[in-house]
mmCIF file with all atom_site columns, all heavy atoms in Angstrom:
data_model
loop_
_atom_site.group_PDB
_atom_site.id
_atom_site.type_symbol
_atom_site.label_atom_id
_atom_site.label_alt_id
_atom_site.label_comp_id
_atom_site.label_asym_id
_atom_site.label_entity_id
_atom_site.label_seq_id
_atom_site.pdbx_PDB_ins_code
_atom_site.Cartn_x
_atom_site.Cartn_y
_atom_site.Cartn_z
_atom_site.occupancy
_atom_site.B_iso_or_equiv
_atom_site.pdbx_formal_charge
_atom_site.auth_seq_id
_atom_site.auth_comp_id
_atom_site.auth_asym_id
_atom_site.auth_atom_id
_atom_site.pdbx_PDB_model_num
ATOM 1   N N   . THR A 1 10  ? 8.184  -19.402 -3.803  1.00 87.00 ? 189 THR A N   1
ATOM 2   C CA  . THR A 1 10  ? 8.107  -18.672 -2.537  1.00 87.00 ? 189 THR A CA  1
ATOM 3   C C   . THR A 1 10  ? 9.499  -18.244 -2.106  1.00 87.00 ? 189 THR A C   1
ATOM 4   O O   . THR A 1 10  ? 10.521 -18.809 -2.503  1.00 87.00 ? 189 THR A O   1
ATOM 5   C CB  . THR A 1 10  ? 7.484  -19.592 -1.451  1.00 87.00 ? 189 THR A CB  1
ATOM 6   O OG1 . THR A 1 10  ? 8.277  -20.770 -1.297  1.00 87.00 ? 189 THR A OG1 1
ATOM 7   C CG2 . THR A 1 10  ? 6.050  -19.931 -1.777  1.00 87.00 ? 189 THR A CG2 1
ATOM 8   N N   . LEU A 1 11  ? 9.521  -17.226 -1.279  1.00 89.00 ? 190 LEU A N   1
ATOM 9   C CA  . LEU A 1 11  ? 10.784 -16.684 -0.742  1.00 89.00 ? 190 LEU A CA  1
ATOM 10  C C   . LEU A 1 11  ? 10.768 -16.794 0.748   1.00 89.00 ? 190 LEU A C   1
ATOM 11  O O   . LEU A 1 11  ? 9.786  -16.455 1.408   1.00 89.00 ? 190 LEU A O   1
ATOM 12  C CB  . LEU A 1 11  ? 10.947 -15.237 -1.132  1.00 89.00 ? 190 LEU A CB  1
ATOM 13  C CG  . LEU A 1 11  ? 10.981 -14.946 -2.638  1.00 89.00 ? 190 LEU A CG  1
ATOM 14  C CD1 . LEU A 1 11  ? 10.950 -13.403 -2.878  1.00 89.00 ? 190 LEU A CD1 1
ATOM 15  C CD2 . LEU A 1 11  ? 12.230 -15.523 -3.276  1.00 89.00 ? 190 LEU A CD2 1
ATOM 16  N N   . ARG A 1 41  ? 10.256 -15.601 7.427   1.00 90.00 ? 220 ARG A N   1
ATOM 17  C CA  . ARG A 1 41  ? 8.858  -15.594 6.956   1.00 90.00 ? 220 ARG A CA  1
ATOM 18  C C   . ARG A 1 41  ? 8.827  -16.056 5.509   1.00 90.00 ? 220 ARG A C   1
ATOM 19  O O   . ARG A 1 41  ? 9.736  -15.781 4.747   1.00 90.00 ? 220 ARG A O   1
ATOM 20  C CB  . ARG A 1 41  ? 8.291  -14.196 7.059   1.00 90.00 ? 220 ARG A CB  1
ATOM 21  C CG  . ARG A 1 41  ? 6.895  -14.053 6.544   1.00 90.00 ? 220 ARG A CG  1
ATOM 22  C CD  . ARG A 1 41  ? 6.346  -12.659 6.793   1.00 90.00 ? 220 ARG A CD  1
ATOM 23  N NE  . ARG A 1 41  ? 5.024  -12.642 6.217   1.00 90.00 ? 220 ARG A NE  1
ATOM 24  C CZ  . ARG A 1 41  ? 4.500  -11.607 5.589   1.00 90.00 ? 220 ARG A CZ  1
ATOM 25  N NH1 . ARG A 1 41  ? 5.176  -10.489 5.501   1.00 90.00 ? 220 ARG A NH1 1
ATOM 26  N NH2 . ARG A 1 41  ? 3.292  -11.674 5.087   1.00 90.00 ? 220 ARG A NH2 1
ATOM 27  N N   . VAL A 1 42  ? 7.817  -16.788 5.136   1.00 92.00 ? 221 VAL A N   1
ATOM 28  C CA  . VAL A 1 42  ? 7.640  -17.220 3.723   1.00 92.00 ? 221 VAL A CA  1
ATOM 29  C C   . VAL A 1 42  ? 6.722  -16.279 3.022   1.00 92.00 ? 221 VAL A C   1
ATOM 30  O O   . VAL A 1 42  ? 5.595  -16.034 3.487   1.00 92.00 ? 221 VAL A O   1
ATOM 31  C CB  . VAL A 1 42  ? 7.106  -18.665 3.689   1.00 92.00 ? 221 VAL A CB  1
ATOM 32  C CG1 . VAL A 1 42  ? 6.875  -19.084 2.259   1.00 92.00 ? 221 VAL A CG1 1
ATOM 33  C CG2 . VAL A 1 42  ? 8.051  -19.641 4.390   1.00 92.00 ? 221 VAL A CG2 1
ATOM 34  N N   . LEU A 1 43  ? 7.190  -15.716 1.895   1.00 89.00 ? 222 LEU A N   1
ATOM 35  C CA  . LEU A 1 43  ? 6.369  -14.815 1.063   1.00 89.00 ? 222 LEU A CA  1
ATOM 36  C C   . LEU A 1 43  ? 5.997  -15.573 -0.218  1.00 89.00 ? 222 LEU A C   1
ATOM 37  O O   . LEU A 1 43  ? 6.839  -16.196 -0.851  1.00 89.00 ? 222 LEU A O   1
ATOM 38  C CB  . LEU A 1 43  ? 7.145  -13.574 0.719   1.00 89.00 ? 222 LEU A CB  1
ATOM 39  C CG  . LEU A 1 43  ? 7.413  -12.576 1.835   1.00 89.00 ? 222 LEU A CG  1
ATOM 40  C CD1 . LEU A 1 43  ? 8.300  -11.426 1.343   1.00 89.00 ? 222 LEU A CD1 1
ATOM 41  C CD2 . LEU A 1 43  ? 6.158  -12.070 2.442   1.00 89.00 ? 222 LEU A CD2 1
ATOM 42  N N   . HIS A 1 44  ? 4.731  -15.450 -0.603  1.00 88.00 ? 223 HIS A N   1
ATOM 43  C CA  . HIS A 1 44  ? 4.249  -16.048 -1.848  1.00 88.00 ? 223 HIS A CA  1
ATOM 44  C C   . HIS A 1 44  ? 4.082  -14.975 -2.882  1.00 88.00 ? 223 HIS A C   1
ATOM 45  O O   . HIS A 1 44  ? 3.842  -13.794 -2.536  1.00 88.00 ? 223 HIS A O   1
ATOM 46  C CB  . HIS A 1 44  ? 2.894  -16.739 -1.592  1.00 88.00 ? 223 HIS A CB  1
ATOM 47  C CG  . HIS A 1 44  ? 2.987  -17.878 -0.642  1.00 88.00 ? 223 HIS A CG  1
ATOM 48  N ND1 . HIS A 1 44  ? 2.963  -17.713 0.719   1.00 88.00 ? 223 HIS A ND1 1
ATOM 49  C CD2 . HIS A 1 44  ? 3.097  -19.201 -0.881  1.00 88.00 ? 223 HIS A CD2 1
ATOM 50  C CE1 . HIS A 1 44  ? 3.073  -18.897 1.297   1.00 88.00 ? 223 HIS A CE1 1
ATOM 51  N NE2 . HIS A 1 44  ? 3.161  -19.826 0.377   1.00 88.00 ? 223 HIS A NE2 1
ATOM 52  N N   . PRO A 1 45  ? 4.219  -15.302 -4.192  1.00 82.00 ? 224 PRO A N   1
ATOM 53  C CA  . PRO A 1 45  ? 3.996  -14.315 -5.234  1.00 82.00 ? 224 PRO A CA  1
ATOM 54  C C   . PRO A 1 45  ? 2.626  -13.656 -5.049  1.00 82.00 ? 224 PRO A C   1
ATOM 55  O O   . PRO A 1 45  ? 1.603  -14.294 -4.770  1.00 82.00 ? 224 PRO A O   1
ATOM 56  C CB  . PRO A 1 45  ? 3.999  -15.148 -6.519  1.00 82.00 ? 224 PRO A CB  1
ATOM 57  C CG  . PRO A 1 45  ? 4.845  -16.329 -6.185  1.00 82.00 ? 224 PRO A CG  1
ATOM 58  C CD  . PRO A 1 45  ? 4.527  -16.636 -4.731  1.00 82.00 ? 224 PRO A CD  1
ATOM 59  N N   . GLY A 1 46  ? 2.652  -12.322 -5.142  1.00 76.00 ? 225 GLY A N   1
ATOM 60  C CA  . GLY A 1 46  ? 1.415  -11.541 -4.986  1.00 76.00 ? 225 GLY A CA  1
ATOM 61  C C   . GLY A 1 46  ? 1.215  -11.022 -3.591  1.00 76.00 ? 225 GLY A C   1
ATOM 62  O O   . GLY A 1 46  ? 0.433  -10.123 -3.338  1.00 76.00 ? 225 GLY A O   1
ATOM 63  N N   . GLU A 1 47  ? 2.007  -11.541 -2.656  1.00 81.00 ? 226 GLU A N   1
ATOM 64  C CA  . GLU A 1 47  ? 1.898  -11.093 -1.283  1.00 81.00 ? 226 GLU A CA  1
ATOM 65  C C   . GLU A 1 47  ? 2.705  -9.836  -1.076  1.00 81.00 ? 226 GLU A C   1
ATOM 66  O O   . GLU A 1 47  ? 3.710  -9.615  -1.723  1.00 81.00 ? 226 GLU A O   1
ATOM 67  C CB  . GLU A 1 47  ? 2.452  -12.222 -0.363  1.00 81.00 ? 226 GLU A CB  1
ATOM 68  C CG  . GLU A 1 47  ? 2.146  -12.069 1.103   1.00 81.00 ? 226 GLU A CG  1
ATOM 69  C CD  . GLU A 1 47  ? 2.538  -13.314 1.878   1.00 81.00 ? 226 GLU A CD  1
ATOM 70  O OE1 . GLU A 1 47  ? 2.915  -14.342 1.286   1.00 81.00 ? 226 GLU A OE1 1
ATOM 71  O OE2 . GLU A 1 47  ? 2.490  -13.237 3.105   1.00 81.00 ? 226 GLU A OE2 1
ATOM 72  N N   . GLY A 1 48  ? 2.240  -8.962  -0.171  1.00 81.00 ? 227 GLY A N   1
ATOM 73  C CA  . GLY A 1 48  ? 2.940  -7.715  0.081   1.00 81.00 ? 227 GLY A CA  1
ATOM 74  C C   . GLY A 1 48  ? 4.390  -7.931  0.414   1.00 81.00 ? 227 GLY A C   1
ATOM 75  O O   . GLY A 1 48  ? 4.740  -8.749  1.231   1.00 81.00 ? 227 GLY A O   1
ATOM 76  N N   . GLY A 1 49  ? 5.262  -7.186  -0.250  1.00 84.00 ? 228 GLY A N   1
ATOM 77  C CA  . GLY A 1 49  ? 6.680  -7.269  -0.039  1.00 84.00 ? 228 GLY A CA  1
ATOM 78  C C   . GLY A 1 49  ? 7.396  -8.303  -0.904  1.00 84.00 ? 228 GLY A C   1
ATOM 79  O O   . GLY A 1 49  ? 8.616  -8.362  -0.953  1.00 84.00 ? 228 GLY A O   1
ATOM 80  N N   . TYR A 1 50  ? 6.640  -9.136  -1.641  1.00 84.00 ? 229 TYR A N   1
ATOM 81  C CA  . TYR A 1 50  ? 7.237  -10.186 -2.426  1.00 84.00 ? 229 TYR A CA  1
ATOM 82  C C   . TYR A 1 50  ? 8.115  -9.616  -3.543  1.00 84.00 ? 229 TYR A C   1
ATOM 83  O O   . TYR A 1 50  ? 9.265  -10.065 -3.716  1.00 84.00 ? 229 TYR A O   1
ATOM 84  C CB  . TYR A 1 50  ? 6.188  -11.103 -3.042  1.00 84.00 ? 229 TYR A CB  1
ATOM 85  C CG  . TYR A 1 50  ? 6.758  -12.247 -3.851  1.00 84.00 ? 229 TYR A CG  1
ATOM 86  C CD1 . TYR A 1 50  ? 7.065  -13.444 -3.241  1.00 84.00 ? 229 TYR A CD1 1
ATOM 87  C CD2 . TYR A 1 50  ? 7.036  -12.124 -5.201  1.00 84.00 ? 229 TYR A CD2 1
ATOM 88  C CE1 . TYR A 1 50  ? 7.615  -14.479 -3.943  1.00 84.00 ? 229 TYR A CE1 1
ATOM 89  C CE2 . TYR A 1 50  ? 7.581  -13.153 -5.924  1.00 84.00 ? 229 TYR A CE2 1
ATOM 90  C CZ  . TYR A 1 50  ? 7.883  -14.338 -5.265  1.00 84.00 ? 229 TYR A CZ  1
ATOM 91  O OH  . TYR A 1 50  ? 8.451  -15.372 -5.994  1.00 84.00 ? 229 TYR A OH  1
ATOM 92  N N   . ASP A 1 51  ? 7.608  -8.634  -4.275  1.00 80.00 ? 230 ASP A N   1
ATOM 93  C CA  . ASP A 1 51  ? 8.397  -8.078  -5.399  1.00 80.00 ? 230 ASP A CA  1
ATOM 94  C C   . ASP A 1 51  ? 9.723  -7.508  -4.915  1.00 80.00 ? 230 ASP A C   1
ATOM 95  O O   . ASP A 1 51  ? 10.749 -7.723  -5.505  1.00 80.00 ? 230 ASP A O   1
ATOM 96  C CB  . ASP A 1 51  ? 7.603  -6.977  -6.120  1.00 80.00 ? 230 ASP A CB  1
ATOM 97  C CG  . ASP A 1 51  ? 6.409  -7.544  -6.884  1.00 80.00 ? 230 ASP A CG  1
ATOM 98  O OD1 . ASP A 1 51  ? 6.285  -8.775  -6.981  1.00 80.00 ? 230 ASP A OD1 1
ATOM 99  O OD2 . ASP A 1 51  ? 5.591  -6.747  -7.329  1.00 80.00 ? 230 ASP A OD2 1
ATOM 100 N N   . GLU A 1 52  ? 9.668  -6.772  -3.830  1.00 84.00 ? 231 GLU A N   1
ATOM 101 C CA  . GLU A 1 52  ? 10.871 -6.159  -3.259  1.00 84.00 ? 231 GLU A CA  1
ATOM 102 C C   . GLU A 1 52  ? 11.842 -7.256  -2.835  1.00 84.00 ? 231 GLU A C   1
ATOM 103 O O   . GLU A 1 52  ? 13.051 -7.151  -3.018  1.00 84.00 ? 231 GLU A O   1
ATOM 104 C CB  . GLU A 1 52  ? 10.540 -5.222  -2.115  1.00 84.00 ? 231 GLU A CB  1
ATOM 105 C CG  . GLU A 1 52  ? 9.750  -4.012  -2.554  1.00 84.00 ? 231 GLU A CG  1
ATOM 106 C CD  . GLU A 1 52  ? 8.231  -4.234  -2.689  1.00 84.00 ? 231 GLU A CD  1
ATOM 107 O OE1 . GLU A 1 52  ? 7.764  -5.394  -2.487  1.00 84.00 ? 231 GLU A OE1 1
ATOM 108 O OE2 . GLU A 1 52  ? 7.524  -3.277  -3.003  1.00 84.00 ? 231 GLU A OE2 1
ATOM 109 N N   . VAL A 1 118 ? 5.394  -3.433  -7.316  1.00 85.00 ? 297 VAL A N   1
ATOM 110 C CA  . VAL A 1 118 ? 4.127  -3.963  -7.767  1.00 85.00 ? 297 VAL A CA  1
ATOM 111 C C   . VAL A 1 118 ? 3.549  -3.162  -8.954  1.00 85.00 ? 297 VAL A C   1
ATOM 112 O O   . VAL A 1 118 ? 3.081  -3.746  -9.950  1.00 85.00 ? 297 VAL A O   1
ATOM 113 C CB  . VAL A 1 118 ? 3.082  -4.024  -6.632  1.00 85.00 ? 297 VAL A CB  1
ATOM 114 C CG1 . VAL A 1 118 ? 1.673  -4.210  -7.165  1.00 85.00 ? 297 VAL A CG1 1
ATOM 115 C CG2 . VAL A 1 118 ? 3.416  -5.162  -5.711  1.00 85.00 ? 297 VAL A CG2 1
ATOM 116 N N   . HIS A 1 140 ? 0.937  -11.106 -9.527  1.00 89.00 ? 319 HIS A N   1
ATOM 117 C CA  . HIS A 1 140 ? 1.633  -12.173 -8.817  1.00 89.00 ? 319 HIS A CA  1
ATOM 118 C C   . HIS A 1 140 ? 2.099  -13.258 -9.803  1.00 89.00 ? 319 HIS A C   1
ATOM 119 O O   . HIS A 1 140 ? 3.163  -13.852 -9.587  1.00 89.00 ? 319 HIS A O   1
ATOM 120 C CB  . HIS A 1 140 ? 0.780  -12.759 -7.701  1.00 89.00 ? 319 HIS A CB  1
ATOM 121 C CG  . HIS A 1 140 ? -0.391 -13.562 -8.144  1.00 89.00 ? 319 HIS A CG  1
ATOM 122 N ND1 . HIS A 1 140 ? -1.549 -13.012 -8.523  1.00 89.00 ? 319 HIS A ND1 1
ATOM 123 C CD2 . HIS A 1 140 ? -0.510 -14.907 -8.287  1.00 89.00 ? 319 HIS A CD2 1
ATOM 124 C CE1 . HIS A 1 140 ? -2.408 -13.973 -8.903  1.00 89.00 ? 319 HIS A CE1 1
ATOM 125 N NE2 . HIS A 1 140 ? -1.782 -15.130 -8.754  1.00 89.00 ? 319 HIS A NE2 1
ATOM 126 N N   . THR A 1 143 ? 5.157  -11.773 -11.661 1.00 91.00 ? 322 THR A N   1
ATOM 127 C CA  . THR A 1 143 ? 6.304  -11.747 -10.763 1.00 91.00 ? 322 THR A CA  1
ATOM 128 C C   . THR A 1 143 ? 6.904  -13.161 -10.604 1.00 91.00 ? 322 THR A C   1
ATOM 129 O O   . THR A 1 143 ? 8.127  -13.332 -10.627 1.00 91.00 ? 322 THR A O   1
ATOM 130 C CB  . THR A 1 143 ? 5.889  -11.192 -9.382  1.00 91.00 ? 322 THR A CB  1
ATOM 131 O OG1 . THR A 1 143 ? 5.419  -9.861  -9.551  1.00 91.00 ? 322 THR A OG1 1
ATOM 132 C CG2 . THR A 1 143 ? 7.082  -11.138 -8.434  1.00 91.00 ? 322 THR A CG2 1
#
Side-chain angles (χ1 to χ4, degrees):
T189 58
L190 299 172
R220 177 174 177 218
V221 177
L222 291 175
H223 296 82
E226 194 171 351
Y229 182 89
D230 291 349
E231 294 82 358
V297 164
H319 71 278
T322 300

